[in-house]
Structure formats: C-alpha cells, structure tokens
Amino acid sequence: MFYRSASSILDRQQHQQQDLLSSSTLMSTETLQNPNPKISAYYQTRAAHHGVITSDWLAQSQAAVGQDPGALPLDSPVPPRGDSGKQFSVIDEFNYWRKQPDLAEAVAAIRALASVMRSSEATTMMELEIELKKASDSLKSWDTTSISLTAGCDLFLRYVTRTSALEYEEFSSAKSRLIERADKFGEISLKARKIIAMLSQDFIFDGCTIMVHGFSRVVLEVLKLAAQSKKQFRVLCTEGRPDRTGLLLSNELAKVDVPVKLLIDSAAAYSMDEVDMVLVGADGVVESGGIINMMGTYQIALVAHSMNKPVYVAAESYKFARLYPLDQKDMVPALRPIDFGVPIPSKVEVETSARDYTPPQYLTLLFTDLGVLTPSVVSDELIQLYL
C-alpha cells in the first residue's frame, strides 16, 4: 500500500516550509540552556542528580516513583513560578513539567507546547503556527541529542495542526479547537505507559525469567503490573554502568516483592541460558523498526538472538522518530560523563557514547500504546502518525 518511506513524504513537506529560527539564534539558545553541548543535557542532569548512588538518593527515588505524574491535570492553571510579570518562556515551562515525578521528558515538552497555545496572543492561525514552531525548535535545541524530545515535539505539531480548525470562521473558535486537540494529545501521551503495561501482560507467564537492561519507566510499569496480577516470575537486572541505572530498577522491583538477581553488565551472555525473554525500553524507535537505547542493548540482543530468546521492546509512540540509521555511528552521538574511580592518563581514549542502535532483525516485538507491533510495520505506523 505504501510505496514511499515516511521520511521521503515528510521531506517533501518540509521543503515547503521556511526555517523560522536562524542558526545563530538556535546556537545561542542551545549554549544558554546546555552549557556543555558536547555532553547530552539529559546525561548532564543525570550526572548531577544520579551520579553517585547513596541510600538517601535511593530513598528519595523510591518515594518519587510512587507519586502520580498526573496529579496536575493538563488544563489546570500552572502554579506561579517566579515573577508573575515575567514573559512566558517555553523552556521554563518545560523545565517545570520535567521536574514532576515520573513524567517523561517528551510529555513535559508536550505540556509546555500546550501552554504556549494557551498563553499565545496570536490573532491568526498563521501567527499561532509560527509561534508553535518557534517554541518547538527552542525545545529541541535544549538537547539536540534527545530522540524522544524531538519526536514528541514533531508529533505534537502534526497532531494538533492536522485538524479542520481552519473551517471555523472565527479565530477564537479555531484556537479553542487546537487547544482541545493539544490536551487530547497530552492525555494520550500521559496514559501511554499504562496502556503498554496492559498490552504486554499476555507475554509474561508464570515461572518465566526476564532479563532487563538499564532503567526504563515503562518497563518498570510492565513488571509492576505483572506483579500486581500475582504472576510468578523473576528478573535478571544488569547493573547499567556507568550510571548504575540497573541498581535503581532492582531496588524498585524488590519493593513489590519481585525476585531480582543483579548482574554486572558483562555477565549478560553468561546468564542468558537462564532467561526466557529480554525486555528493554527505548530512547527512540526508528523507521527501520530498530531501536536506539542505552549502551549495551545491542550486544544483549545479539546474544539473545543467537540463543533463540525473544527480545521485546516497550516504547511509547511519542518515541517513534524519523530516523534511519545504517550503523552505530550513523546518528548524532549522545555523550555522558564517565568516572572509572581511578585516574585515567590523558593518552588513554575513553568511549563516552551513551547509547547504541539495535537493528530490527534482533527484535521480536514492540509493545506500544498503538498495539503490539512487529518491527516491520513501524514504518507504516510512522506514516500514520506524521501524516
């Protein structure tokens, strides 16, 4: 049915639009918001808050995970932050929502863009769309390496503006319609994690052993729901060096009485014969049906594939990105600080890449809020999402 990829169709549309932000403006914004552009802003934040695992930090994280990210409804007035006379800033709005417990970065961006529409003083549809495009570009420049942030902003613009609002004679009516669609998209994105958890339950059976890698909030939701459903299973959790995200995940699973075995990352192949399935999250799902995720995902998928173990991916639809990497180096690098605990001579080169690309042939199924998908149909879903 589809003879062109999502990229080719969207590239044709993008050629019809002018870039609304000059490169100098984007560069200054990125420098202002991300003081060290060589290191991903996401990993700078993680290094600042999660670099050292302590009992106090773990206790705070445990308390945070238990809170409801939807405590503040999408249409609720935003609490005052600073000077009430200060001009609205989409970055400030984004940072406010980003600090909400257990709220994904892309969802924070979606809520920030919805606030842009509410605070807009535009008087025409063209002005409003230009304002949204500028806000979206500012958010994407906050961390140019974040796949989910870029994909979330792009999907928001496509979903909100793909409407019959232009048929309204009055701009106020059209704007209300757009805000309604923005809120709807925000609600869908917020509920995506719970939908994925429900859809994936049929694949978790009593007595199974699941290997997980890194800390993924959607994977945690899947496993917590399975535990609440009284399913008997155990989890092999890799450590997740260098930021030790696996330690946090194992701690959260232990709280709901899930049997957990903690592994060093290099023990994945050694322990694979105990495993019935591998379950990982994703930073982004690309057009080929492959995923970009935390470093080490690719090698775990390779080992699992060689031993005929299914590899499942849990990923929200706002992480579907218009990317088509051909190899590990064919994507914007996301770097992170690494501390080995001992002095490293300056002559020694250190690999600081934070993520790798897992091709679709090593993945079995993707659990998404759009349904349970095979990697081969991801391109079709991207077309439906973006057009």
Side-chain angles (χ1 to χ4, degrees):
M1 178 179 179
F2 300 103
Y3 297 95
R4 292 177 291 177
S5 70
S7 289
S8 65
I9 297 175
L10 287 171
D11 286 342
R12 173 172 54 81
Q13 295 180 344
Q14 288 182 341
H15 286 318
Q16 300 173 358
Q17 301 176 354
Q18 294 183 349
D19 188 2
L20 299 173
L21 290 177
S22 66
S23 59
S24 60
T25 302
L26 286 173
M27 186 176 298
S28 62
T29 303
E30 180 177 357
T31 303
L32 177 63
Q33 302 298 334
N34 188 355
N36 189 357
K38 292 184 178 180
I39 302 295
S40 167
Y42 172 78
Y43 286 102
Q44 287 187 57
T45 304
R46 177 173 293 226
H49 297 284
H50 314 322
V52 179
I53 302 295
T54 66
S55 58
D56 291 341
W57 178 79
L58 283 175
Q60 294 172 5
S61 299
Q62 293 167 10
V65 171
Q67 299 180 24
D68 182 8
L72 292 177
L74 285 166
D75 56 354
S76 64
V78 178
R81 297 183 287 281
D83 183 8
S84 58
K86 184 179 178 180
Q87 186 177 6
F88 177 85
S89 167
V90 68
I91 297 296
D92 291 342
E93 187 74 10
F94 167 69
N95 284 327
Y96 166 76
W97 287 114
R98 192 169 60 92
K99 294 175 182 177
Q100 300 301 312
D102 212 32
L103 195 67
E105 190 176 83
V107 179
I110 290 167
R111 287 191 162 188
L113 290 174
S115 297
V116 169
M117 299 182 67
R118 289 194 182 87
S119 62
S120 174
E121 298 180 357
T123 58
T124 65
M125 288 296 300
M126 181 65 71
E127 290 178 1
L128 182 59
E129 289 190 16
I130 290 175
E131 191 171 344
L132 279 175
K133 181 64 165 58
K134 287 182 177 180
S136 174
D137 288 342
S138 296
L139 287 174
K140 289 189 285 188
S141 67
W142 179 81
D143 185 358
T144 57
T145 67
S146 176
I147 298 173
S148 62
L149 179 61
T150 298
C153 290
D154 290 343
L155 282 170
F156 177 88
L157 292 182
R158 292 300 305 157
Y159 182 88
V160 170
T161 58
R162 187 177 59 184
T163 177
S164 58
L166 294 176
E167 298 177 2
Y168 291 93
E169 294 183 0
E170 296 183 359
F171 171 72
S172 59
S173 300
K175 181 179 178 180
S176 297
R177 172 61 176 162
L178 292 181
I179 292 176
E180 179 183 338
R181 286 183 65 83
D183 290 344
K184 181 64 175 177
F185 187 76
E187 291 174 6
I188 293 172
S189 301
L190 190 62
K191 295 176 181 177
R193 204 175 296 160
K194 295 186 182 296
I195 295 173
I196 293 170
M198 293 175 60
L199 292 175
S200 61
Q201 293 307 300
D202 290 340
F203 297 86
I204 300 177
F205 53 89
D206 283 332
C208 70
T209 298
I210 306 171
M211 179 176 286
V212 298
H213 180 61
F215 182 82
S216 166
R217 284 174 289 194
V218 66
V219 168
L220 177 60
E221 190 75 24
V222 170
L223 298 177
K224 287 175 67 175
L225 182 59
Q228 293 168 4
S229 302
K230 307 301 181 182
K231 291 188 177 182
Q232 302 297 320
F233 62 96
R234 63 192 290 257
V235 176
L236 302 187
C237 189
T238 59
E239 180 188 7
R241 286 280 297 163
D243 42 10
R244 301 179 180 179
T245 50
L247 294 178
L248 176 59
L249 182 60
S250 64
N251 188 278
E252 293 300 324
L253 292 174
K255 288 173 56 179
V256 292
D257 298 324
V258 174
V260 181
K261 183 178 181 180
L262 195 60
L263 310 173
I264 58 175
D265 293 336
S266 54
Y270 172 81
S271 303
M272 190 61 70
D273 60 343
E274 304 177 38
V275 172
D276 293 296
M277 69 187 75
V278 175
L279 177 61
V280 296
D283 287 348
V285 180
V286 299
E287 286 187 75
S288 64
I291 62 169
I292 297 173
N293 195 42
M294 179 181 177
M295 182 66 72
T297 303
Y298 181 34
Q299 63 190 24
I300 291 177
L302 279 171
V303 173
H305 180 76
S306 68
M307 299 179 68
N308 295 318
K309 309 289 186 178
V311 179
Y312 300 133
V313 179
E316 302 91 328
S317 60
Y318 55 72
K319 293 180 179 178
F320 281 41
R322 291 182 57 246
L323 299 172
Y324 204 108
L326 300 177
D327 55 38
Q328 299 300 324
K329 305 300 187 295
D330 193 20
M331 54 186 175
V332 178
L335 308 180
R336 60 182 168 187
I338 297 179
D339 181 11
F340 289 98
V342 295
I344 303 297
S346 58
K347 295 181 180 180
V348 176
E349 183 180 359
V350 176
E351 177 60 69
T352 57
S353 298
R355 61 196 184 194
D356 58 25
Y357 166 61
T358 304
Q361 61 265 33
Y362 303 113
L363 305 176
T364 307
L365 291 172
L366 291 89
F367 304 146
T368 77
D369 48 303
L370 302 176
V372 179
L373 311 177
T374 60
S376 61
V377 303
V378 168
S379 181
D380 291 350
E381 291 297 334
L382 274 164
I383 292 175
Q384 298 298 325
L385 285 171
Y386 279 98
L387 295 185

